[in-house]
């Protein structure tokens, strides 16, 4: 039932492209790596799927965390790093 309530929220009806732009803006604005957008993926399932499925969100990679580096490389797919 909680996930059904989330579907009706206006923020969850935003196009995934808009959510991805928000994530990219966060990275560019703070000039940080992709790990800074991870909290956005914890908002709800829709946000997680939208943000993770956009390869350009994962192109700024840090070598501080090996697991995160591997995840970024996998999620970036063919996007230029």
């Amino acid at each position: 039932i909680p996930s059904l309530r989330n579907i009706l929220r206006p923020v969850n009806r935003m196009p995934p492209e808009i959510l991805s732009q928000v994530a990219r803006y966060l990275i560019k604005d703070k000039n940080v790596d992709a790990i800074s957008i991870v909290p956005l993926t914890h908002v709800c399932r829709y946000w997680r799927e939208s943000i993770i499925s956009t390869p350009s969100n994962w192109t700024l990679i840090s070598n501080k965390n090996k697991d995160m580096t591997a995840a970024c490389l996998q999620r970036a797919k063919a996007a230029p790093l």
Side-chain angles (χ1 to χ4, degrees):
I1 291 180
S3 63
L4 294 176
R5 272 187 269 147
N6 282 344
I7 292 171
L8 300 175
R9 306 262 184 217
V11 72
N12 290 330
R13 288 183 274 154
M14 286 194 319
E17 296 83 12
I18 300 289
L19 290 174
S20 292
Q21 286 288 344
V22 169
R24 272 183 257 145
Y25 177 77
L26 178 68
I27 292 172
K28 288 179 184 176
D29 185 47
K30 293 186 176 183
N31 199 21
V32 292
D33 58 12
I35 199 165
S36 63
I37 63 172
V38 170
L40 294 177
T41 65
H42 297 178
V43 172
C44 68
R45 185 179 305 135
Y46 177 70
W47 280 41
R48 179 176 175 80
E49 291 170 1
S50 298
I51 293 169
I52 287 179
S53 67
T54 305
S56 59
N57 289 340
W58 305 101
T59 57
L60 290 174
I61 300 172
S62 172
N63 63 354
K64 295 176 186 173
N65 182 326
K66 289 183 181 180
D67 294 333
M68 187 62 191
T69 301
C72 285
L73 288 171
Q74 181 184 24
R75 292 172 182 169
K77 298 179 183 172
L81 301 176

